[in-house]
Amino acid sequence: VKADAEDPAYAVIRKAMEKRKYYRDQVEKYACDVYIKGNIKFLDAPEKFMGRDLGNLGGTLDTNRQGIVYLSESQSVLYYQQPNQLKEVMTSSKVSGNDNGFGFNSARDMDFNLYDNFSDFSRQIVSPIASTAMQFYRYRLVGTFFDEESRLINKIELIPKRSEDPVYRGYIYIVENLWNIQSADLLLVQGAIKQPGLDSLYLKQVYVPVQAPDTWRLFSQNISFTAGLFGFKLGGSFTGIYSNYDLSPAFEPNFFNNEIFKVKEGANERTQEYWDTLRPIPL
């Protein structure tokens, strides 16, 4: 044991970096179902704003000055084809309130691929396995464990080299020998994301195998945040569940065109029984 020995996490990250492009480009095309649930609530609100009494904002706030201001759920079919063609058809939608620009209400809005060098959160955030990641991150192997299929998973802590760099904090989980991402539990602080009013943003992803020997796809993604402005404090959460992957869909000629998002007629007319049957997670 040497005091200056390199942490074992670096060897794992280098392997993941080598396989990044492989996993990014592995699936030429696919179609999948996406369910998205979103909510935004006041965590706190001032009693007065610019000298005017706000009251309970028309019944939105309870006695603790908290209350839900936005609630949504949707079901879509997401279509993708290399290199960057993406189309979403929303088949069902239910919305109450206004997201005020803080929403991730479609699968396109939630497209944050850690196999890309960067993800765009109003600022380009460097992936922990980007080609230049070691200029921005330090890594520490927290531990290892076996999943239900006896695959060895490496839990690696992400430590920014500089507080204002566009990077994540948190943990990334890498599968031994395959060197793909099993899951990620990430945090963006205000200094990294530099978006006015946004205090912090959490990104959690889970991947699952969908085809042997090494094809994994995103199963679930949660984006949650806190924001504050002029004495108002907001919190929000958007969760996407991805299912029914088809890795060899047959696209008609010109399927991908200028129309990248479509809402089917009657999408907002679904019954409560429909949603109760469809919903994979509690509302």
PDB file of all heavy atoms in Angstrom, residues 122-142:
ATOM      1  N   SER A 122     -28.728  24.226 -20.115  1.00  0.00           N
ATOM      2  CA  SER A 122     -28.497  25.659 -20.310  1.00  0.00           C
ATOM      3  C   SER A 122     -26.996  25.971 -20.280  1.00  0.00           C
ATOM      4  O   SER A 122     -26.565  27.022 -20.732  1.00  0.00           O
ATOM      5  CB  SER A 122     -29.236  26.522 -19.281  1.00  0.00           C
ATOM      6  OG  SER A 122     -28.618  26.487 -18.011  1.00  0.00           O
ATOM      7  N   ARG A 123     -26.213  25.076 -19.743  1.00  0.00           N
ATOM      8  CA  ARG A 123     -24.753  25.108 -19.815  1.00  0.00           C
ATOM      9  C   ARG A 123     -24.314  23.690 -20.127  1.00  0.00           C
ATOM     10  O   ARG A 123     -24.925  22.734 -19.653  1.00  0.00           O
ATOM     11  CB  ARG A 123     -24.152  25.576 -18.481  1.00  0.00           C
ATOM     12  CG  ARG A 123     -22.648  25.806 -18.512  1.00  0.00           C
ATOM     13  CD  ARG A 123     -22.124  26.140 -17.120  1.00  0.00           C
ATOM     14  NE  ARG A 123     -20.715  26.533 -17.160  1.00  0.00           N
ATOM     15  CZ  ARG A 123     -19.929  26.629 -16.094  1.00  0.00           C
ATOM     16  NH1 ARG A 123     -20.420  26.372 -14.881  1.00  0.00           N
ATOM     17  NH2 ARG A 123     -18.672  27.005 -16.212  1.00  0.00           N
ATOM     18  N   GLN A 124     -23.290  23.516 -20.922  1.00  0.00           N
ATOM     19  CA  GLN A 124     -22.851  22.179 -21.276  1.00  0.00           C
ATOM     20  C   GLN A 124     -22.109  21.544 -20.098  1.00  0.00           C
ATOM     21  O   GLN A 124     -21.036  22.003 -19.708  1.00  0.00           O
ATOM     22  CB  GLN A 124     -21.960  22.213 -22.519  1.00  0.00           C
ATOM     23  CG  GLN A 124     -22.734  22.489 -23.803  1.00  0.00           C
ATOM     24  CD  GLN A 124     -21.923  22.182 -25.047  1.00  0.00           C
ATOM     25  OE1 GLN A 124     -20.725  22.436 -25.098  1.00  0.00           O
ATOM     26  NE2 GLN A 124     -22.575  21.634 -26.060  1.00  0.00           N
ATOM     27  N   ILE A 125     -22.716  20.484 -19.561  1.00  0.00           N
ATOM     28  CA  ILE A 125     -22.159  19.797 -18.405  1.00  0.00           C
ATOM     29  C   ILE A 125     -21.351  18.594 -18.884  1.00  0.00           C
ATOM     30  O   ILE A 125     -21.822  17.776 -19.681  1.00  0.00           O
ATOM     31  CB  ILE A 125     -23.276  19.328 -17.452  1.00  0.00           C
ATOM     32  CG1 ILE A 125     -24.165  20.524 -17.052  1.00  0.00           C
ATOM     33  CG2 ILE A 125     -22.667  18.668 -16.224  1.00  0.00           C
ATOM     34  CD1 ILE A 125     -23.436  21.639 -16.337  1.00  0.00           C
ATOM     35  N   VAL A 126     -20.125  18.474 -18.390  1.00  0.00           N
ATOM     36  CA  VAL A 126     -19.204  17.430 -18.836  1.00  0.00           C
ATOM     37  C   VAL A 126     -19.593  16.085 -18.226  1.00  0.00           C
ATOM     38  O   VAL A 126     -19.758  15.966 -17.008  1.00  0.00           O
ATOM     39  CB  VAL A 126     -17.751  17.778 -18.441  1.00  0.00           C
ATOM     40  CG1 VAL A 126     -16.788  16.696 -18.934  1.00  0.00           C
ATOM     41  CG2 VAL A 126     -17.350  19.137 -19.009  1.00  0.00           C
ATOM     42  N   SER A 127     -19.732  15.076 -19.079  1.00  0.00           N
ATOM     43  CA  SER A 127     -20.039  13.733 -18.591  1.00  0.00           C
ATOM     44  C   SER A 127     -18.875  13.186 -17.766  1.00  0.00           C
ATOM     45  O   SER A 127     -17.707  13.475 -18.068  1.00  0.00           O
ATOM     46  CB  SER A 127     -20.315  12.795 -19.771  1.00  0.00           C
ATOM     47  OG  SER A 127     -20.327  11.445 -19.350  1.00  0.00           O
ATOM     48  N   PRO A 128     -19.144  12.373 -16.757  1.00  0.00           N
ATOM     49  CA  PRO A 128     -18.059  11.767 -15.967  1.00  0.00           C
ATOM     50  C   PRO A 128     -17.163  10.834 -16.768  1.00  0.00           C
ATOM     51  O   PRO A 128     -16.060  10.516 -16.324  1.00  0.00           O
ATOM     52  CB  PRO A 128     -18.817  10.980 -14.882  1.00  0.00           C
ATOM     53  CG  PRO A 128     -20.176  11.593 -14.826  1.00  0.00           C
ATOM     54  CD  PRO A 128     -20.479  12.053 -16.200  1.00  0.00           C
ATOM     55  N   ILE A 129     -17.630  10.381 -17.955  1.00  0.00           N
ATOM     56  CA  ILE A 129     -16.794   9.508 -18.792  1.00  0.00           C
ATOM     57  C   ILE A 129     -16.500  10.173 -20.144  1.00  0.00           C
ATOM     58  O   ILE A 129     -16.179   9.500 -21.124  1.00  0.00           O
ATOM     59  CB  ILE A 129     -17.435   8.125 -19.002  1.00  0.00           C
ATOM     60  CG1 ILE A 129     -18.819   8.241 -19.626  1.00  0.00           C
ATOM     61  CG2 ILE A 129     -17.500   7.377 -17.678  1.00  0.00           C
ATOM     62  CD1 ILE A 129     -19.411   6.889 -20.041  1.00  0.00           C
ATOM     63  N   ALA A 130     -16.606  11.495 -20.208  1.00  0.00           N
ATOM     64  CA  ALA A 130     -16.275  12.225 -21.435  1.00  0.00           C
ATOM     65  C   ALA A 130     -14.790  12.054 -21.761  1.00  0.00           C
ATOM     66  O   ALA A 130     -13.975  11.711 -20.900  1.00  0.00           O
ATOM     67  CB  ALA A 130     -16.604  13.707 -21.261  1.00  0.00           C
ATOM     68  N   SER A 131     -14.444  12.319 -22.998  1.00  0.00           N
ATOM     69  CA  SER A 131     -13.047  12.169 -23.421  1.00  0.00           C
ATOM     70  C   SER A 131     -12.120  13.105 -22.652  1.00  0.00           C
ATOM     71  O   SER A 131     -10.928  12.817 -22.501  1.00  0.00           O
ATOM     72  CB  SER A 131     -12.928  12.419 -24.926  1.00  0.00           C
ATOM     73  OG  SER A 131     -13.436  13.705 -25.264  1.00  0.00           O
ATOM     74  N   THR A 132     -12.657  14.231 -22.149  1.00  0.00           N
ATOM     75  CA  THR A 132     -11.846  15.206 -21.400  1.00  0.00           C
ATOM     76  C   THR A 132     -12.172  15.199 -19.907  1.00  0.00           C
ATOM     77  O   THR A 132     -11.760  16.114 -19.188  1.00  0.00           O
ATOM     78  CB  THR A 132     -12.083  16.620 -21.954  1.00  0.00           C
ATOM     79  OG1 THR A 132     -13.482  16.943 -21.846  1.00  0.00           O
ATOM     80  CG2 THR A 132     -11.657  16.720 -23.412  1.00  0.00           C
ATOM     81  N   ALA A 133     -12.894  14.190 -19.439  1.00  0.00           N
ATOM     82  CA  ALA A 133     -13.426  14.212 -18.070  1.00  0.00           C
ATOM     83  C   ALA A 133     -12.346  14.333 -17.004  1.00  0.00           C
ATOM     84  O   ALA A 133     -12.554  14.978 -15.971  1.00  0.00           O
ATOM     85  CB  ALA A 133     -14.265  12.961 -17.813  1.00  0.00           C
ATOM     86  N   MET A 134     -11.186  13.725 -17.223  1.00  0.00           N
ATOM     87  CA  MET A 134     -10.157  13.745 -16.183  1.00  0.00           C
ATOM     88  C   MET A 134      -9.542  15.119 -15.980  1.00  0.00           C
ATOM     89  O   MET A 134      -8.809  15.328 -15.018  1.00  0.00           O
ATOM     90  CB  MET A 134      -9.097  12.696 -16.472  1.00  0.00           C
ATOM     91  CG  MET A 134      -9.619  11.291 -16.266  1.00  0.00           C
ATOM     92  SD  MET A 134      -8.320  10.065 -16.102  1.00  0.00           S
ATOM     93  CE  MET A 134      -9.325   8.578 -15.906  1.00  0.00           C
ATOM     94  N   GLN A 135      -9.839  16.056 -16.877  1.00  0.00           N
ATOM     95  CA  GLN A 135      -9.427  17.442 -16.653  1.00  0.00           C
ATOM     96  C   GLN A 135     -10.342  18.130 -15.638  1.00  0.00           C
ATOM     97  O   GLN A 135      -9.993  19.179 -15.101  1.00  0.00           O
ATOM     98  CB  GLN A 135      -9.454  18.219 -17.965  1.00  0.00           C
ATOM     99  CG  GLN A 135      -8.521  17.683 -19.036  1.00  0.00           C
ATOM    100  CD  GLN A 135      -8.655  18.437 -20.342  1.00  0.00           C
ATOM    101  OE1 GLN A 135      -9.094  19.597 -20.372  1.00  0.00           O
ATOM    102  NE2 GLN A 135      -8.285  17.800 -21.439  1.00  0.00           N
ATOM    103  N   PHE A 136     -11.505  17.538 -15.388  1.00  0.00           N
ATOM    104  CA  PHE A 136     -12.524  18.185 -14.555  1.00  0.00           C
ATOM    105  C   PHE A 136     -12.863  17.414 -13.273  1.00  0.00           C
ATOM    106  O   PHE A 136     -13.324  18.004 -12.315  1.00  0.00           O
ATOM    107  CB  PHE A 136     -13.815  18.367 -15.365  1.00  0.00           C
ATOM    108  CG  PHE A 136     -13.667  19.243 -16.566  1.00  0.00           C
ATOM    109  CD1 PHE A 136     -13.337  18.707 -17.803  1.00  0.00           C
ATOM    110  CD2 PHE A 136     -13.851  20.614 -16.472  1.00  0.00           C
ATOM    111  CE1 PHE A 136     -13.209  19.520 -18.923  1.00  0.00           C
ATOM    112  CE2 PHE A 136     -13.722  21.433 -17.580  1.00  0.00           C
ATOM    113  CZ  PHE A 136     -13.396  20.881 -18.814  1.00  0.00           C
ATOM    114  N   TYR A 137     -12.661  16.088 -13.293  1.00  0.00           N
ATOM    115  CA  TYR A 137     -13.089  15.248 -12.176  1.00  0.00           C
ATOM    116  C   TYR A 137     -11.920  14.573 -11.479  1.00  0.00           C
ATOM    117  O   TYR A 137     -10.903  14.247 -12.108  1.00  0.00           O
ATOM    118  CB  TYR A 137     -14.008  14.120 -12.669  1.00  0.00           C
ATOM    119  CG  TYR A 137     -15.368  14.530 -13.153  1.00  0.00           C
ATOM    120  CD1 TYR A 137     -15.612  14.735 -14.516  1.00  0.00           C
ATOM    121  CD2 TYR A 137     -16.443  14.678 -12.278  1.00  0.00           C
ATOM    122  CE1 TYR A 137     -16.878  15.076 -14.981  1.00  0.00           C
ATOM    123  CE2 TYR A 137     -17.715  15.015 -12.732  1.00  0.00           C
ATOM    124  CZ  TYR A 137     -17.917  15.212 -14.085  1.00  0.00           C
ATOM    125  OH  TYR A 137     -19.168  15.540 -14.551  1.00  0.00           O
ATOM    126  N   ARG A 138     -12.119  14.319 -10.178  1.00  0.00           N
ATOM    127  CA  ARG A 138     -11.368  13.306  -9.456  1.00  0.00           C
ATOM    128  C   ARG A 138     -12.329  12.158  -9.167  1.00  0.00           C
ATOM    129  O   ARG A 138     -13.540  12.361  -9.103  1.00  0.00           O
ATOM    130  CB  ARG A 138     -10.786  13.856  -8.157  1.00  0.00           C
ATOM    131  CG  ARG A 138      -9.731  14.948  -8.355  1.00  0.00           C
ATOM    132  CD  ARG A 138      -9.084  15.343  -7.028  1.00  0.00           C
ATOM    133  NE  ARG A 138      -8.063  16.353  -7.223  1.00  0.00           N
ATOM    134  CZ  ARG A 138      -8.267  17.665  -7.142  1.00  0.00           C
ATOM    135  NH1 ARG A 138      -9.489  18.110  -6.844  1.00  0.00           N
ATOM    136  NH2 ARG A 138      -7.290  18.523  -7.336  1.00  0.00           N
ATOM    137  N   TYR A 139     -11.784  10.967  -8.987  1.00  0.00           N
ATOM    138  CA  TYR A 139     -12.627   9.786  -8.802  1.00  0.00           C
ATOM    139  C   TYR A 139     -12.173   9.001  -7.574  1.00  0.00           C
ATOM    140  O   TYR A 139     -10.978   8.932  -7.273  1.00  0.00           O
ATOM    141  CB  TYR A 139     -12.555   8.871 -10.033  1.00  0.00           C
ATOM    142  CG  TYR A 139     -12.916   9.559 -11.329  1.00  0.00           C
ATOM    143  CD1 TYR A 139     -11.934  10.145 -12.137  1.00  0.00           C
ATOM    144  CD2 TYR A 139     -14.236   9.633 -11.758  1.00  0.00           C
ATOM    145  CE1 TYR A 139     -12.259  10.770 -13.329  1.00  0.00           C
ATOM    146  CE2 TYR A 139     -14.575  10.258 -12.951  1.00  0.00           C
ATOM    147  CZ  TYR A 139     -13.577  10.823 -13.736  1.00  0.00           C
ATOM    148  OH  TYR A 139     -13.903  11.447 -14.910  1.00  0.00           O
ATOM    149  N   ARG A 140     -13.167   8.398  -6.901  1.00  0.00           N
ATOM    150  CA  ARG A 140     -12.857   7.564  -5.741  1.00  0.00           C
ATOM    151  C   ARG A 140     -13.765   6.335  -5.752  1.00  0.00           C
ATOM    152  O   ARG A 140     -14.989   6.465  -5.852  1.00  0.00           O
ATOM    153  CB  ARG A 140     -13.071   8.345  -4.442  1.00  0.00           C
ATOM    154  CG  ARG A 140     -12.666   7.569  -3.183  1.00  0.00           C
ATOM    155  CD  ARG A 140     -12.755   8.459  -1.948  1.00  0.00           C
ATOM    156  NE  ARG A 140     -14.137   8.710  -1.568  1.00  0.00           N
ATOM    157  CZ  ARG A 140     -14.835   7.943  -0.722  1.00  0.00           C
ATOM    158  NH1 ARG A 140     -14.254   6.867  -0.170  1.00  0.00           N
ATOM    159  NH2 ARG A 140     -16.074   8.242  -0.400  1.00  0.00           N
ATOM    160  N   LEU A 141     -13.154   5.166  -5.672  1.00  0.00           N
ATOM    161  CA  LEU A 141     -13.920   3.929  -5.605  1.00  0.00           C
ATOM    162  C   LEU A 141     -14.483   3.786  -4.194  1.00  0.00           C
ATOM    163  O   LEU A 141     -13.748   3.564  -3.239  1.00  0.00           O
ATOM    164  CB  LEU A 141     -13.058   2.726  -5.967  1.00  0.00           C
ATOM    165  CG  LEU A 141     -13.785   1.372  -5.973  1.00  0.00           C
ATOM    166  CD1 LEU A 141     -14.845   1.322  -7.060  1.00  0.00           C
ATOM    167  CD2 LEU A 141     -12.782   0.235  -6.143  1.00  0.00           C
ATOM    168  N   VAL A 142     -15.810   3.895  -4.085  1.00  0.00           N
ATOM    169  CA  VAL A 142     -16.468   3.803  -2.785  1.00  0.00           C
ATOM    170  C   VAL A 142     -16.630   2.346  -2.371  1.00  0.00           C
ATOM    171  O   VAL A 142     -16.495   1.993  -1.196  1.00  0.00           O
ATOM    172  CB  VAL A 142     -17.834   4.509  -2.824  1.00  0.00           C
ATOM    173  CG1 VAL A 142     -18.581   4.344  -1.508  1.00  0.00           C
ATOM    174  CG2 VAL A 142     -17.646   5.990  -3.142  1.00  0.00           C
TER     175      VAL A 142
END
